Each structure stands twice: as structure tokens, then as C-alpha cells.
Amino acid sequence: MVLEENCTRNYLKGQKEKEIGEKVPVHKVGNNPLDMDQFRMVFSTCKIPGITRDSIINYFRTESEGRSPTHITVLCRGRVFVFDVMHEGCLMTPPEIHRQLTYIHKKCHSEPDGPGIPALTSEERTRWAKAREYLISLDPENLTRLEKIQSSLLVYSLEDSSPHVTPEDYSQVTAMILAGDPTLRWGDKSYNLISFSNGVFGCNCDHAPFDAMVLVNVSHYVDEKIVENEGRWKGSEKVRDISLPEELVFTVDDKILNNIKQAEAQYLKQASDLQVVVYAFTSFGKKLTKKKRLHPDIFIQLALQLAYYRLHGRPGSCYETAMTRYFYHGRTETVRSCTVEAVRWCQSMQDPSTSPLERQRKMLQAFAKHDKMMKYCLAGKGFDRHLLGLLLIAKEEDLPVPELFTDPLFSKSGGGGNFVLSTSLVGYSRVLGVVVPMVHNGYGFFYHIRDDRFNVASTAWKSCPETDAEKLVQLVFHSFQDMMQLMNTARL
């Protein structure tokens, strides 16, 4: 996670160059290709707020489609800058990009802070849409400035803070990446790259244009290149005569400044209510679970079910992401991890009269059920997206909403975006991820799997007296040990 600044920038551009030339290898699972359409949404993509409905604009073009934007946006101390990363038909070198960033950094640290226009993107959508319309009405050039940000490859944030981070505890840095300074995030952008003054990097993105694993792949590519080159630029230190970055100075008035102040205040109030816990479990990882013939993803999902059951005394409706990229423009489907088999196993683990052998038998039944459901969802046989489609058609066509969607049990099961556990595997690389809870009395729970460890990231709302992300994570770790002990002691 600790990346050297100029190298990072260059390798990101290398990834972008691959995409423009349509040279990114097609991802495959076995011999089966996956749809790659989401990757075109990584760069030069932005959500535009609307009074009643948002829209997404994608300015990215491949070489065969025409000209694509080649500039990035840089945010620093409430100010906004742009500069082109291409010069005379070639990508800037890391020393050249470093020169541009150094210019911005020095300028912002020797002059007053800017108004913090980006904070408006953290506002409630309709209020932001109205503020945006008013901002444009103040000065037509404000629209030009907004479009420069919208069309930029990505937004790069220069943070002054130095968050604490260790290989076992990523809580503070993750919280700052997820819910940091709103004047240094363009919330509508598909890709915000954030650097802190201690050299730690992170990403913050809008989920609408693509799924998390797309950005995980980009981040993994960067990480691999950093390691491969030992975090150092080994090319020429020469810096060509390149134009300095352009500052986007918006025309504002007291009303806009007040809107910014209100947006920032409400954002920071909500961010302060968010509990973020990100720890590494280092006793074992994928290697041992695979040795025991247990799928590591299902291992973590069932550990989470047991932890939630122990903490709250009841089953927790759970959403796990399944990708549907086997299909044309496929996105995701929902695996409902809280199965009857999982609940029966959790109950057996809390029943002192149940033998280890019986507990193991029930656990393996829960593993088998989860595995079956995941395969169904990957094959397009899930039902949550189908139900969502029916609901949206009813609303768009002004038809009566079917009774299923108003049944209290539908919501209790997680339907309609009401899962108390919102979870996803973030892959098997060194890239971490995090998400906020789906409901006020719920948890966000992302995790990634390594050979020797599991890293988990849990979130909860402090204002909810029921939930506690710290306790949940500790109980998940306890569940890991109990499950492994079950496999060691209950031998058939």
C-alpha cells in the first residue's frame, strides 16, 4: 500500500495507454472469457447530478474510436488544477509528472486555500444538482471548468495528513480514504487517486460505472509494477519544457460559498458517525483452508455468519457479490449467504450438546449449499437482479408494484437493499477494499484472501446502539479458529 509517487503515476498511465490501444488482455476464468466493457469506464468518466435522475458521461475513446482526453485533475487544499499527461505525442515521464505535482503542492502551501468546490459533490443529489445549475448560471465559464474535471482521466488528491498504517492494522488510512476531506474528493468521478504525505496511496470511486474488481485490477497492476521496479524510476531524470498546470478558478458568490460550507459540514458529521475497522488475521490463510479442502471465500462467509449470530443472537441477512461477466455487459448478482444450512450450523455451534462431529457435518453442508448458490449466480441463475428488473419496470411503466416487494418479509430477507451484511471478496492480491453498511443497523464487510492471512474491513454506524464493527471482526477471527479446530478435531 505504500507506493512511490512518481512511479505510481507513470504505471497508471501505462494502464491507460493499454486501454486506448485495446491491448488489455481479456480476463478469463479457466478458458471462459469475461466481458471487459466495464474497463472503458475507469478513465474519463463522471456522474452528472440531475434534479430527478443522475446520468453518467464517458469521454473515453479507444484509438479506433477517436480522440480521448489526456489530462488529469489535481485537488489540493480546496483548489483545482488540470494538466495534460501527454507531451509531443508521448506520455510524460515520472520526473515530469513529479515536477507538475510539486508546482501545485508548493503553490497551494504558500497561498490561501481555495473555496473547496469539490465538497458540493458530497451533497445530497438533488441539492448538488441545484447548486451545480446555479454555479453555471453565475458564469458560463464555470460549465467549461466543470467539463474539464468531468472529462479528465482521473482526479488525483494531494492530502497533507499522514494516516497510521501497519501490516496488521489499516483502520485509520482506510477511514480517511473512504470518508476523508470532501474538498479533496470529486464524488462523481469514476476514479479518485489519493496520496498522503507519508507516501501511502488509496483510491475512492463512484460504483455506478463499474464494479469494484475493475479498480482492484488496475490497482493490482500498479502494485505489481511498483514491486517489479523496487519503487524507483530507473529512466531519464530529464524534464522537458512543459506548460505548467492550469488552475480552474470558479466564479462563486456568497450563496455558493454557503452551499460549500453546508455540504462539508453535513458530510463530516456523517463521516464522524462511521466506524471503520480493518485488521489482518495472520494465524493462517488460503493455504491452510485449501489444504483442508475448504473454499476460502465460503470459509470467510460462514465465519461471518457465525460471528453475527454470536454477537446478535439471530441470523443476519447477507449480500455477497457474484460477478456475471460471463455474459455480455454482465455486472453482478446477489448470493444470499444466510442459508438454512448456515443457520443450522450456527445454532449447533452455540449448542453445547452438539458433538464436534455433528458440527462439522452441518458446517460442510453449509459449505456445499453456498458453493452451489455461487455457481448458480455466476451462471446467471440468481433471482435478485431479475426481481429488481421487474420492480423497475413496474415503476417506470406506472404499474402497480407487485405485493412481493411490499411484504415485510421481503425487506427482512434483505430485499430492496436491506441486507444487514453487505459483503464482497476483493480478490487474492494485496489490494484492500471497504464499503459502508447498506442499512443503519447493518455492517459493510469486505475482505481479501492471501496465502498466509485474511484481511477484513468492517464498517458500522456509531449512532446505531446494536452494531459494533470492532466486536464483529474479533468474533470473525474467533470463528476462523473455531472452524479450523473443528476440521482438526472432528475427523471422520
Side-chain angles (χ1 to χ4, degrees):
M1 202 166 183
V2 179
L3 307 180
E4 208 281 331
E5 183 176 282
N6 50 15
C7 290
T8 303
R9 303 299 305 159
N10 199 49
Y11 297 132
L12 277 172
K13 297 302 155 265
Q15 178 71 10
K16 189 254 182 181
E17 194 173 45
K18 278 187 175 185
E19 293 193 16
I20 283 182
E22 300 178 71
K23 295 174 184 175
V24 177
V26 174
H27 292 174
K28 292 184 178 181
V29 175
N31 293 320
N32 299 310
L34 302 181
D35 184 273
M36 298 292 289
D37 184 68
Q38 292 181 50
F39 280 81
R40 70 180 297 122
M41 305 296 280
V42 173
F43 298 109
S44 301
T45 302
C46 198
K47 188 187 288 181
I48 309 299
I51 301 297
T52 58
R53 184 175 182 172
D54 291 351
S55 57
I56 294 175
I57 296 183
N58 175 236
Y59 301 83
F60 177 83
R61 300 291 180 270
T62 63
E63 283 180 348
S64 62
E65 292 170 340
R67 188 181 180 281
S68 191
T70 55
H71 65 284
I72 68 169
T73 300
V74 180
L75 306 181
C76 184
R77 293 201 165 188
R79 297 166 72 172
V80 184
F81 298 82
V82 294
F83 67 86
D84 209 304
V85 295
M86 298 287 287
H87 183 67
E88 296 176 347
C90 298
L91 284 169
M92 280 187 185
T93 64
E96 289 168 343
I97 294 173
H98 185 259
R99 197 283 297 263
Q100 303 291 68
L101 295 178
T102 300
Y103 168 81
I104 293 169
H105 188 267
K106 286 182 176 178
K107 189 175 180 64
C108 291
H109 284 73
S110 61
E111 297 174 3
D113 291 356
I117 292 286
L120 293 172
T121 67
S122 70
E123 182 58 281
E124 185 274 329
R125 300 308 294 173
T126 300
R127 285 200 288 270
W128 163 217
K130 290 177 179 177
R132 184 177 182 275
E133 287 185 353
Y134 181 74
L135 184 66
I136 294 167
S137 73
L138 282 179
D139 180 356
E141 284 300 307
N142 281 344
L143 175 58
T144 304
R145 295 171 188 122
L146 286 169
E147 286 177 338
K148 282 188 178 180
I149 299 169
Q150 291 163 192
S151 62
S152 61
L153 291 166
L154 52 83
V155 169
Y156 179 41
S157 302
L158 286 167
E159 286 263 15
D160 289 334
S161 54
S162 298
H164 172 76
V165 59
T166 71
E168 285 75 41
D169 184 356
Y170 301 88
S171 302
Q172 189 181 68
V173 65
T174 305
M176 293 181 74
I177 292 166
L178 177 64
D181 186 345
T183 69
L184 295 177
R185 310 283 186 273
W186 199 268
D188 297 336
K189 246 341 228 174
S190 58
Y191 190 176
N192 285 261
L193 178 65
I194 304 154
S195 69
F196 297 94
S197 59
N198 58 352
V200 177
F201 275 72
C203 306
N204 188 311
C205 69
D206 174 32
H207 206 333
F210 53 78
D211 298 318
M213 288 310 296
V214 172
L215 198 55
V216 167
N217 273 280
V218 173
S219 300
H220 177 53
Y221 172 84
V222 174
D223 186 46
E224 279 190 319
K225 293 299 179 183
I226 296 294
V227 173
E228 184 183 310
N229 290 275
E230 300 172 322
R232 293 180 179 85
W233 169 245
K234 298 175 182 179
S236 171
E237 295 295 328
K238 181 182 177 183
V239 175
R240 292 169 289 177
D241 185 19
I242 296 169
S243 300
L244 291 171
E246 171 195 359
E247 182 169 10
L248 303 182
V249 181
F250 286 82
T251 300
V252 298
D253 64 2
D254 288 344
K255 181 179 179 180
I256 285 293
L257 292 175
N258 189 51
N259 286 342
I260 292 169
K261 191 175 179 180
Q262 287 181 347
E264 189 173 0
Q266 68 83 25
Y267 176 88
L268 292 174
K269 181 182 178 181
Q270 189 168 16
S272 68
D273 189 35
L274 187 64
Q275 180 189 18
V276 180
V277 178
V278 189
Y279 295 151
F281 174 84
T282 57
S283 299
F284 57 83
K286 180 181 73 172
K287 202 170 181 180
L288 186 59
T289 56
K290 296 285 278 186
K291 184 179 179 182
K292 299 293 182 181
R293 297 185 179 181
L294 301 174
H295 193 294
D297 174 66
I298 305 175
F299 185 86
I300 294 175
Q301 284 289 328
L302 289 179
L304 176 61
Q305 283 295 313
L306 180 57
Y308 185 89
Y309 193 91
R310 284 170 165 169
L311 183 58
H312 295 284
R314 60 182 184 272
S317 61
C318 183
Y319 166 103
E320 181 187 5
T321 307
M323 67 91 182
T324 53
R325 286 174 58 203
Y326 289 120
F327 300 92
Y328 181 68
H329 290 185
R331 293 283 304 251
T332 63
E333 180 52 274
T334 301
V335 177
R336 292 178 171 238
S337 305
C338 186
T339 62
V340 171
E341 290 81 358
V343 173
R344 285 173 181 163
W345 170 64
C346 291
Q347 290 169 339
S348 76
M349 293 295 287
Q350 297 301 94
D351 182 357
S353 66
T354 307
S355 69
L357 188 63
E358 180 64 12
R359 288 173 176 174
Q360 188 203 60
R361 188 181 69 81
K362 288 181 182 294
M363 183 178 78
L364 294 179
Q365 287 176 343
F367 264 87
K369 180 61 176 290
H370 191 106
D371 186 53
K372 183 179 179 181
M373 288 196 312
M374 177 60 80
K375 287 173 179 173
Y376 270 18
C377 290
L378 293 175
K381 296 179 181 178
F383 60 82
D384 273 277
R385 298 298 177 266
H386 179 71
L387 291 177
L388 175 63
L390 293 176
L391 175 62
L392 292 176
I393 288 170
K395 288 185 174 181
E396 289 173 1
E397 298 297 324
D398 204 24
L399 299 170
V401 174
E403 289 182 16
L404 168 68
F405 298 106
T406 57
D407 191 310
L409 289 178
F410 180 69
S411 296
K412 193 174 182 180
S413 75
N418 290 288
F419 291 97
V420 296
L421 294 169
S422 178
T423 79
S424 187
L425 166 65
V426 193
Y428 298 83
S429 68
R430 301 201 307 169
V431 180
L432 295 169
V434 68
V435 69
V436 297
M438 197 178 287
V439 292
H440 186 248
N441 65 331
Y443 298 90
F445 193 88
F446 274 20
Y447 51 94
H448 81 151
I449 295 168
R450 304 292 304 280
D451 283 345
D452 62 344
R453 66 183 56 209
F454 300 127
N455 285 325
V456 303
S458 184
T459 57
W461 296 111
K462 296 174 186 175
S463 56
C464 178
E466 293 179 44
T467 55
D468 188 326
E470 176 79 30
K471 286 182 180 178
L472 184 72
V473 169
Q474 295 302 336
L475 283 170
V476 166
F477 288 177
H478 185 55
S479 298
F480 289 160
Q481 300 284 13
D482 287 351
M483 292 166 73
M484 195 52 68
Q485 187 177 4
L486 208 56
M487 295 305 292
N488 291 335
T489 58
R491 300 199 175 176
L492 296 174

